[in-house]
Coordinates of all heavy atoms in Angstrom, one line a residue:
M24 N 13.1 21.1 10.3 CA 13.9 20.4 9.3 C 13.7 18.9 9.4 O 13.7 18.2 8.4 CB 15.4 20.8 9.6 CG 16.4 20.2 8.6 SD 16.1 21.0 7.1 CE 17.4 20.3 6.1
K25 N 13.6 18.3 10.6 CA 13.4 16.9 10.8 C 12.1 16.4 10.2 O 12.0 15.4 9.6 CB 13.5 16.5 12.2 CG 14.9 16.6 12.8 CD 14.9 16.2 14.3 CE 16.3 16.4 14.9 NZ 16.3 16.0 16.3
K26 N 11.1 17.3 10.4 CA 9.7 16.9 9.8 C 9.8 16.9 8.3 O 9.1 16.0 7.7 CB 8.7 17.8 10.3 CG 8.4 17.6 11.8 CD 7.2 18.5 12.3 CE 7.0 18.2 13.7 NZ 5.9 19.0 14.3
T27 N 10.5 17.8 7.7 CA 10.7 17.8 6.3 C 11.4 16.6 5.8 O 11.0 16.0 4.8 CB 11.5 19.0 5.8 OG1 10.9 20.2 6.4 CG2 11.6 19.1 4.3
A28 N 12.4 16.1 6.5 CA 13.1 14.9 6.1 C 12.1 13.7 6.3 O 12.2 12.8 5.4 CB 14.3 14.7 7.0
V29 N 11.3 13.7 7.3 CA 10.3 12.6 7.5 C 9.3 12.5 6.3 O 9.0 11.5 5.7 CB 9.6 12.7 8.8 CG1 8.5 11.7 8.9 CG2 10.6 12.5 10.0
V30 N 8.8 13.7 5.9 CA 7.8 13.8 4.8 C 8.5 13.3 3.5 O 7.9 12.6 2.8 CB 7.3 15.2 4.7 CG1 6.4 15.3 3.4 CG2 6.4 15.5 5.9
L31 N 9.7 13.7 3.3 CA 10.4 13.3 2.1 C 10.7 11.8 2.1 O 10.5 11.2 1.1 CB 11.8 14.1 2.1 CG 12.7 13.8 0.8 CD1 11.9 14.2 -0.4 CD2 13.9 14.6 0.9
M32 N 11.0 11.3 3.3 CA 11.3 9.8 3.4 C 10.0 9.0 3.1 O 10.0 8.1 2.3 CB 11.8 9.5 4.8 CG 12.0 8.0 5.0 SD 12.4 7.5 6.6 CE 10.9 7.8 7.5
I33 N 8.9 9.5 3.6 CA 7.6 8.8 3.4 C 7.2 8.9 1.9 O 6.8 7.9 1.3 CB 6.5 9.5 4.3 CG1 6.8 9.1 5.7 CG2 5.1 9.0 3.9 CD1 5.9 9.9 6.7
S34 N 7.4 10.0 1.3 CA 7.0 10.1 -0.1 C 7.9 9.2 -1.0 O 7.5 8.6 -2.0 CB 7.1 11.6 -0.6 OG 8.4 12.1 -0.5
L35 N 9.2 9.1 -0.7 CA 10.1 8.3 -1.4 C 9.8 6.8 -1.2 O 9.8 6.0 -2.2 CB 11.6 8.5 -1.0 CG 12.2 9.9 -1.5 CD1 13.5 10.0 -0.9 CD2 12.2 9.9 -3.0
L36 N 9.4 6.4 0.0 CA 9.0 5.0 0.2 C 7.7 4.6 -0.5 O 7.6 3.6 -1.1 CB 8.9 4.8 1.7 CG 10.2 4.7 2.5 CD1 9.9 4.6 4.0 CD2 11.0 3.5 2.1
S37 N 6.8 5.5 -0.4 CA 5.5 5.2 -1.1 C 5.7 5.2 -2.6 O 5.0 4.4 -3.3 CB 4.4 6.2 -0.7 OG 4.8 7.5 -1.0
G38 N 6.5 6.1 -3.1 CA 6.8 6.1 -4.6 C 7.5 4.8 -5.0 O 7.2 4.2 -6.0
G39 N 8.4 4.3 -4.2 CA 9.1 3.1 -4.5 C 8.2 1.9 -4.4 O 8.3 1.0 -5.3
A40 N 7.2 1.9 -3.5 CA 6.2 0.8 -3.4 C 5.4 0.8 -4.7 O 5.0 -0.2 -5.2 CB 5.4 0.9 -2.2
S41 N 5.0 2.0 -5.2 CA 4.2 2.1 -6.4 C 4.9 1.5 -7.6 O 4.4 0.8 -8.4 CB 3.8 3.5 -6.6 OG 3.0 4.0 -5.6
L42 N 6.2 1.9 -7.7 CA 7.0 1.4 -8.8 C 7.2 -0.1 -8.7 O 7.2 -0.8 -9.7 CB 8.3 2.1 -8.8 CG 8.3 3.5 -9.3 CD1 9.7 4.1 -9.1 CD2 7.9 3.6 -10.7
A43 N 7.3 -0.7 -7.5 CA 7.5 -2.1 -7.3 C 6.3 -2.9 -7.8 O 6.5 -4.0 -8.4 CB 7.8 -2.4 -5.9
F44 N 5.1 -2.4 -7.6 CA 3.9 -3.1 -8.0 C 3.5 -2.8 -9.4 O 2.5 -3.4 -9.9 CB 2.8 -2.8 -7.0 CG 3.0 -3.6 -5.7 CD1 3.5 -3.0 -4.6 CD2 2.6 -4.9 -5.7 CE1 3.6 -3.7 -3.4 CE2 2.8 -5.7 -4.5 CZ 3.3 -5.1 -3.4
A45 N 4.1 -1.8 -10.0 CA 3.7 -1.5 -11.4 C 4.0 -2.6 -12.3 O 3.2 -2.9 -13.3 CB 4.5 -0.2 -11.9
G46 N 5.0 -3.4 -12.1 CA 5.3 -4.6 -13.0 C 4.3 -5.7 -12.9 O 4.1 -6.4 -13.9
K47 N 3.6 -5.8 -11.8 CA 2.6 -6.9 -11.7 C 1.4 -6.7 -12.6 O 0.8 -7.6 -13.0 CB 2.1 -7.0 -10.2 CG 3.0 -7.7 -9.3 CD 2.4 -8.0 -8.0 CE 3.3 -8.9 -7.2 NZ 2.7 -9.3 -6.0
N48 N 1.1 -5.4 -12.9 CA 0.0 -5.1 -13.7 C 0.5 -4.7 -15.1 O -0.3 -4.0 -15.9 CB -0.8 -4.0 -13.1 CG -1.5 -4.4 -11.9 OD1 -1.9 -5.5 -11.7 ND2 -1.7 -3.5 -10.9
G49 N 1.7 -5.1 -15.5 CA 2.2 -4.7 -16.8 C 1.3 -5.2 -17.9 O 0.9 -6.3 -18.0
G50 N 1.0 -4.3 -18.8 CA 0.2 -4.6 -20.0 C -1.3 -4.6 -19.7 O -2.2 -5.0 -20.5
Q51 N -1.7 -4.0 -18.5 CA -3.1 -4.0 -18.2 C -3.9 -3.1 -19.2 O -5.0 -3.5 -19.6 CB -3.3 -3.4 -16.8 CG -4.7 -3.4 -16.2 CD -5.2 -4.8 -15.9 OE1 -4.4 -5.7 -15.5 NE2 -6.5 -5.1 -16.1
A52 N -3.4 -2.0 -19.5 CA -4.0 -1.1 -20.5 C -4.2 -1.8 -21.8 O -5.2 -1.6 -22.5 CB -3.3 0.2 -20.6
D53 N -3.2 -2.6 -22.2 CA -3.2 -3.3 -23.5 C -4.4 -4.3 -23.5 O -5.1 -4.4 -24.5 CB -1.9 -4.0 -23.8 CG -0.8 -3.1 -24.1 OD1 -1.1 -1.9 -24.5 OD2 0.4 -3.5 -23.9
R54 N -4.6 -5.0 -22.4 CA -5.7 -5.9 -22.3 C -7.0 -5.2 -22.4 O -7.9 -5.7 -23.0 CB -5.6 -6.7 -21.0 CG -4.4 -7.7 -21.0 CD -4.5 -8.7 -19.9 NE -4.3 -8.1 -18.6 CZ -3.1 -7.9 -18.0 NH1 -2.0 -8.2 -18.7 NH2 -3.0 -7.4 -16.8
Y55 N -7.2 -4.1 -21.7 CA -8.4 -3.3 -21.8 C -8.7 -2.9 -23.2 O -9.8 -3.0 -23.7 CB -8.4 -2.1 -20.9 CG -8.5 -2.4 -19.4 CD1 -7.9 -1.6 -18.5 CD2 -9.2 -3.6 -18.9 CE1 -7.9 -1.9 -17.1 CE2 -9.2 -3.9 -17.6 CZ -8.6 -3.0 -16.7 OH -8.6 -3.3 -15.4
N56 N -7.7 -2.4 -23.9 CA -7.9 -1.9 -25.2 C -8.2 -3.0 -26.2 O -9.0 -2.9 -27.1 CB -6.6 -1.1 -25.7 CG -6.5 0.2 -25.0 OD1 -7.5 0.8 -24.6 ND2 -5.3 0.7 -24.8
E57 N -7.5 -4.2 -26.0 CA -7.8 -5.3 -26.8 C -9.2 -5.8 -26.6 O -9.9 -6.2 -27.6 CB -6.8 -6.4 -26.5 CG -6.9 -7.6 -27.4 CD -5.8 -8.6 -27.2 OE1 -4.7 -8.3 -26.9 OE2 -6.2 -9.8 -27.2
D58 N -9.7 -5.8 -25.4 CA -11.1 -6.2 -25.2 C -12.1 -5.3 -25.9 O -13.1 -5.7 -26.4 CB -11.4 -6.2 -23.7 CG -10.8 -7.4 -22.9 OD1 -10.4 -8.3 -23.6 OD2 -10.7 -7.3 -21.7
R59 N -11.8 -4.0 -25.9 CA -12.7 -3.1 -26.6 C -12.6 -3.3 -28.1 O -13.6 -3.1 -28.8 CB -12.3 -1.6 -26.3 CG -12.8 -1.1 -25.0 CD -12.6 0.4 -24.9 NE -12.0 0.6 -23.6 CZ -11.0 1.4 -23.3 NH1 -10.4 2.0 -24.3 NH2 -10.6 1.5 -22.1
S60 N -11.5 -3.7 -28.7 CA -11.3 -3.9 -30.1 C -12.1 -5.1 -30.6 O -12.5 -5.1 -31.7 CB -9.8 -4.0 -30.5 OG -9.1 -2.9 -30.1
Y61 N -12.2 -6.1 -29.7 CA -12.9 -7.3 -30.1 C -14.0 -7.6 -29.1 O -13.8 -8.5 -28.2 CB -11.9 -8.5 -30.1 CG -10.7 -8.3 -31.0 CD1 -9.5 -7.9 -30.5 CD2 -10.8 -8.4 -32.4 CE1 -8.4 -7.7 -31.4 CE2 -9.8 -8.2 -33.3 CZ -8.5 -7.8 -32.7 OH -7.5 -7.6 -33.6
P62 N -15.2 -7.0 -29.3 CA -16.2 -7.1 -28.3 C -16.8 -8.5 -28.2 O -17.3 -8.9 -27.1 CB -17.3 -6.1 -28.7 CG -17.0 -5.8 -30.1 CD -15.5 -6.1 -30.3
N63 N -16.7 -9.3 -29.2 CA -17.3 -10.7 -29.2 C -16.3 -11.7 -28.6 O -16.7 -12.8 -28.5 CB -17.7 -11.1 -30.6 CG -18.9 -10.2 -31.1 OD1 -19.6 -9.7 -30.3 ND2 -18.9 -10.0 -32.4
K64 N -15.1 -11.3 -28.4 CA -14.1 -12.2 -27.8 C -14.4 -12.5 -26.4 O -14.9 -11.7 -25.6 CB -12.8 -11.4 -27.9 CG -11.6 -12.2 -27.5 CD -10.3 -11.4 -27.6 CE -9.2 -12.0 -26.8 NZ -8.0 -11.1 -26.9
S65 N -14.2 -13.8 -26.0 CA -14.5 -14.2 -24.6 C -13.5 -13.4 -23.7 O -12.4 -13.1 -24.0 CB -14.3 -15.7 -24.4 OG -12.9 -16.0 -24.6
D66 N -14.1 -13.1 -22.5 CA -13.3 -12.3 -21.6 C -12.6 -13.2 -20.6 O -13.3 -13.8 -19.7 CB -14.3 -11.3 -20.8 CG -13.5 -10.4 -19.9 OD1 -12.3 -10.2 -20.0 OD2 -14.2 -9.8 -19.0
E67 N -11.3 -13.3 -20.7 CA -10.5 -14.1 -19.8 C -9.8 -13.3 -18.7 O -9.1 -13.9 -17.9 CB -9.5 -14.9 -20.6 CG -10.0 -15.8 -21.6 CD -9.0 -16.5 -22.4 OE1 -7.8 -16.4 -22.1 OE2 -9.3 -17.1 -23.4
S68 N -10.0 -12.0 -18.7 CA -9.3 -11.2 -17.7 C -9.9 -11.3 -16.3 O -9.3 -10.9 -15.3 CB -9.4 -9.7 -18.1 OG -10.7 -9.3 -18.1
H69 N -11.1 -11.9 -16.2 CA -11.7 -12.1 -14.8 C -11.7 -13.6 -14.4 O -12.6 -14.0 -13.8 CB -13.1 -11.5 -14.8 CG -13.1 -10.0 -15.0 ND1 -12.6 -9.2 -14.1 CD2 -13.5 -9.3 -16.0 CE1 -12.7 -7.9 -14.5 NE2 -13.3 -8.0 -15.7
S70 N -10.7 -14.3 -14.8 CA -10.6 -15.7 -14.4 C -10.4 -15.8 -12.9 O -10.0 -14.8 -12.3 CB -9.5 -16.4 -15.1 OG -8.3 -15.9 -14.7
S71 N -10.7 -16.9 -12.3 CA -10.5 -17.0 -10.8 C -9.1 -16.8 -10.4 O -8.8 -16.2 -9.4 CB -11.0 -18.3 -10.4 OG -10.3 -19.4 -10.9
Q72 N -8.1 -17.2 -11.2 CA -6.7 -17.0 -10.9 C -6.4 -15.6 -10.9 O -5.6 -15.1 -10.0 CB -5.8 -17.8 -11.9 CG -4.3 -17.7 -11.6 CD -3.9 -18.2 -10.2 OE1 -4.5 -19.2 -9.8 NE2 -3.0 -17.5 -9.6
N73 N -6.9 -14.8 -11.9 CA -6.6 -13.4 -12.0 C -7.2 -12.7 -10.8 O -6.5 -11.8 -10.3 CB -7.1 -12.8 -13.3 CG -6.6 -11.5 -13.6 OD1 -5.7 -11.0 -13.0 ND2 -7.2 -10.8 -14.7
V74 N -8.4 -13.0 -10.4 CA -9.0 -12.4 -9.3 C -8.2 -12.7 -8.0 O -8.0 -11.8 -7.2 CB -10.5 -12.9 -9.1 CG1 -11.1 -12.4 -7.8 CG2 -11.3 -12.4 -10.3
T75 N -7.7 -13.9 -7.9 CA -6.9 -14.3 -6.7 C -5.6 -13.4 -6.7 O -5.2 -12.9 -5.7 CB -6.6 -15.8 -6.7 OG1 -7.8 -16.5 -6.8 CG2 -5.8 -16.2 -5.5
D76 N -5.0 -13.3 -7.9 CA -3.8 -12.5 -7.9 C -4.0 -11.1 -7.6 O -3.2 -10.5 -6.9 CB -3.2 -12.6 -9.4 CG -2.7 -14.0 -9.7 OD1 -2.5 -14.8 -8.8 OD2 -2.4 -14.2 -10.9
I77 N -5.1 -10.5 -8.0 CA -5.5 -9.1 -7.7 C -5.7 -9.0 -6.2 O -5.2 -8.0 -5.6 CB -6.7 -8.7 -8.5 CG1 -6.3 -8.6 -10.0 CG2 -7.2 -7.3 -8.0 CD1 -7.5 -8.3 -10.9
R78 N -6.4 -9.9 -5.6 CA -6.6 -9.8 -4.2 C -5.3 -9.9 -3.4 O -5.2 -9.2 -2.4 CB -7.6 -10.9 -3.7 CG -9.0 -10.7 -4.2 CD -10.0 -11.8 -3.7 NE -11.3 -11.5 -4.2 CZ -12.2 -12.4 -4.4 NH1 -12.0 -13.7 -4.1 NH2 -13.4 -12.1 -4.8
E79 N -4.4 -10.8 -3.8 CA -3.2 -10.9 -3.1 C -2.3 -9.6 -3.2 O -1.7 -9.2 -2.3 CB -2.4 -12.1 -3.7 CG -2.9 -13.4 -3.3 CD -2.2 -14.6 -3.9 OE1 -1.2 -14.4 -4.6 OE2 -2.7 -15.7 -3.8
A80 N -2.4 -9.0 -4.4 CA -1.6 -7.8 -4.6 C -2.2 -6.7 -3.7 O -1.5 -5.9 -3.2 CB -1.7 -7.3 -6.1
I81 N -3.5 -6.6 -3.6 CA -4.2 -5.6 -2.7 C -3.8 -5.8 -1.3 O -3.5 -4.9 -0.6 CB -5.7 -5.7 -2.9 CG1 -6.1 -5.1 -4.3 CG2 -6.4 -4.8 -1.8 CD1 -7.5 -5.3 -4.7
K82 N -3.8 -7.1 -0.8 CA -3.3 -7.4 0.5 C -1.9 -7.0 0.8 O -1.6 -6.4 1.8 CB -3.5 -8.9 0.8 CG -4.9 -9.3 1.0 CD -5.0 -10.8 1.3 CE -6.5 -11.2 1.4 NZ -6.6 -12.7 1.6
E83 N -1.0 -7.2 -0.2 CA 0.4 -6.8 -0.1 C 0.5 -5.3 0.0 O 1.3 -4.8 0.9 CB 1.2 -7.3 -1.2 CG 1.4 -8.8 -1.2 CD 2.1 -9.3 -2.5 OE1 2.6 -8.5 -3.2 OE2 2.1 -10.6 -2.7
L84 N -0.3 -4.6 -0.8 CA -0.2 -3.1 -0.7 C -0.7 -2.6 0.6 O -0.2 -1.7 1.2 CB -1.1 -2.5 -1.9 CG -0.5 -2.6 -3.3 CD1 -1.5 -2.2 -4.3 CD2 0.8 -1.7 -3.3
E85 N -1.8 -3.2 1.1 CA -2.3 -2.8 2.4 C -1.3 -3.0 3.5 O -1.1 -2.2 4.4 CB -3.6 -3.5 2.7 CG -4.8 -3.1 1.9 CD -6.0 -3.9 2.1 OE1 -6.0 -5.0 2.6 OE2 -7.1 -3.5 1.6
E86 N -0.6 -4.2 3.5 CA 0.4 -4.4 4.5 C 1.6 -3.5 4.4 O 2.1 -3.0 5.4 CB 0.9 -5.9 4.3 CG -0.1 -6.9 4.7 CD 0.4 -8.3 4.4 OE1 1.6 -8.5 3.9 OE2 -0.4 -9.3 4.5
E87 N 2.0 -3.1 3.2 CA 3.1 -2.1 3.0 C 2.6 -0.8 3.5 O 3.4 0.0 4.1 CB 3.5 -2.0 1.5 CG 4.4 -3.1 1.1 CD 5.1 -2.8 -0.2 OE1 5.2 -1.6 -0.6 OE2 5.6 -3.8 -0.8
H88 N 1.4 -0.4 3.2 CA 0.8 0.9 3.7 C 0.8 0.9 5.2 O 1.2 2.0 5.8 CB -0.6 1.0 3.1 CG -1.2 2.3 3.5 ND1 -0.8 3.5 3.0 CD2 -2.2 2.6 4.4 CE1 -1.5 4.5 3.5 NE2 -2.4 4.0 4.4
K89 N 0.4 -0.1 5.9 CA 0.4 -0.2 7.3 C 1.9 0.0 7.9 O 2.1 0.7 8.8 CB -0.2 -1.5 7.8 CG -1.7 -1.5 7.7 CD -2.2 -2.9 8.2 CE -3.7 -3.0 7.9 NZ -4.2 -4.3 8.3
A90 N 2.8 -0.7 7.2 CA 4.2 -0.7 7.6 C 4.8 0.7 7.5 O 5.5 1.3 8.4 CB 5.0 -1.7 6.8
I91 N 4.4 1.4 6.4 CA 4.9 2.8 6.1 C 4.3 3.7 7.2 O 5.0 4.6 7.7 CB 4.6 3.2 4.7 CG1 5.5 2.4 3.7 CG2 4.8 4.7 4.5 CD1 5.1 2.7 2.3
K92 N 3.0 3.6 7.5 CA 2.4 4.4 8.5 C 3.0 4.2 9.8 O 3.3 5.2 10.6 CB 0.9 4.1 8.6 CG 0.1 4.7 7.4 CD -1.4 4.3 7.5 CE -2.0 4.8 8.7 NZ -3.5 4.6 8.8
K93 N 3.3 2.9 10.2 CA 4.0 2.7 11.5 C 5.4 3.3 11.5 O 5.7 3.9 12.5 CB 4.0 1.1 11.7 CG 4.4 0.7 13.0 CD 4.3 -0.8 13.2 CE 4.7 -1.3 14.5 NZ 4.6 -2.7 14.7
L94 N 6.1 3.1 10.5 CA 7.5 3.7 10.4 C 7.4 5.2 10.5 O 8.2 5.8 11.3 CB 8.2 3.3 9.1 CG 8.7 1.8 9.1 CD1 9.2 1.6 7.6 CD2 9.8 1.6 10.0
S95 N 6.5 5.8 9.8 CA 6.4 7.3 9.9 C 6.0 7.8 11.2 O 6.5 8.8 11.7 CB 5.5 7.8 8.8 OG 4.2 7.3 8.9
A96 N 5.1 7.0 11.9 CA 4.6 7.4 13.2 C 5.8 7.3 14.2 O 6.0 8.2 15.1 CB 3.5 6.5 13.7
N97 N 6.5 6.2 14.1 CA 7.7 6.1 15.0 C 8.7 7.2 14.7 O 9.3 7.7 15.7 CB 8.3 4.7 14.8 CG 7.5 3.6 15.3 OD1 6.6 3.8 16.1 ND2 7.7 2.3 14.8
Q98 N 8.9 7.5 13.5 CA 9.9 8.5 13.2 C 9.5 9.9 13.7 O 10.3 10.7 14.2 CB 10.1 8.6 11.6 CG 11.3 9.5 11.2 CD 12.6 9.0 11.7 OE1 12.8 7.8 11.9 NE2 13.5 9.9 11.9
L99 N 8.2 10.2 13.6 CA 7.6 11.4 14.1 C 7.8 11.5 15.6 O 8.1 12.5 16.2 CB 6.2 11.6 13.7 CG 6.0 12.0 12.3 CD1 4.5 12.0 11.9 CD2 6.6 13.4 12.0
K100 N 7.6 10.4 16.3 CA 7.7 10.3 17.8 C 9.2 10.6 18.1 O 9.4 11.3 19.1 CB 7.3 8.9 18.3 CG 5.8 8.7 18.3 CD 5.5 7.4 18.9 CE 4.0 7.1 18.8 NZ 3.7 5.7 19.3
K101 N 10.1 10.0 17.4 CA 11.5 10.3 17.7 C 11.9 11.7 17.5 O 12.7 12.3 18.2 CB 12.4 9.4 16.8 CG 12.3 7.9 17.2 CD 13.2 7.1 16.2 CE 13.1 5.6 16.5 NZ 13.9 4.9 15.6
T102 N 11.4 12.4 16.4 CA 11.7 13.7 16.1 C 11.1 14.7 17.1 O 11.6 15.8 17.4 CB 11.3 14.1 14.7 OG1 9.9 13.9 14.5 CG2 12.1 13.3 13.7
D103 N 9.9 14.3 17.6 CA 9.2 15.2 18.6 C 9.9 15.1 20.0 O 9.8 16.0 20.8 CB 7.8 14.8 18.7 CG 7.0 15.3 17.5 OD1 7.5 16.1 16.8 OD2 5.9 14.7 17.3
S104 N 10.5 14.0 20.3 CA 11.2 13.8 21.6 C 12.4 14.7 21.8 O 13.1 15.1 21.0 CB 11.5 12.4 21.8 OG 10.3 11.6 21.8

């Protein structure tokens, strides 16, 4: 029963993290579709600022993932004891 609660907690936390970061990429599909509609248009989606923002978002996601893994490992240790 405790392991089921841990798995449920992990899935809820990871789902919440996904929703939290969904707003940062808002309109991404619109930008891709717009680029396809106007192939001669200059591509501004890969500006240095955008690349920096993407890298920062990836680092934040990796840090959250590590934190979730650490929390779940600690919780599993507690339930096994």
Side-chain angles (χ1 to χ4, degrees):
M24 185 66 178
K25 290 181 182 180
K26 289 184 181 182
T27 305
V29 171
V30 171
L31 182 60
M32 179 186 69
I33 291 170
S34 64
L35 289 174
L36 286 173
S37 62
S41 298
L42 288 174
F44 282 100
K47 283 192 172 183
N48 293 327
Q51 186 71 33
D53 292 337
R54 288 193 292 277
Y55 289 149
N56 290 331
E57 187 175 321
D58 287 343
R59 278 192 228 132
S60 300
Y61 302 102
N63 295 331
K64 183 177 163 185
S65 64
D66 185 17
E67 297 176 9
S68 64
H69 295 292
S70 68
S71 61
Q72 180 62 36
N73 193 9
V74 171
T75 304
D76 291 344
I77 290 170
R78 287 181 181 156
E79 288 175 8
I81 290 171
K82 286 180 184 177
E83 289 175 10
L84 284 172
E85 288 173 345
E86 289 172 8
E87 279 196 21
H88 181 70
K89 287 178 185 178
I91 290 172
K92 283 177 64 175
K93 189 174 181 179
L94 285 172
S95 62
N97 290 340
Q98 188 65 29
L99 285 173
K100 286 180 185 177
K101 288 179 183 177
T102 58
D103 289 341
S104 298

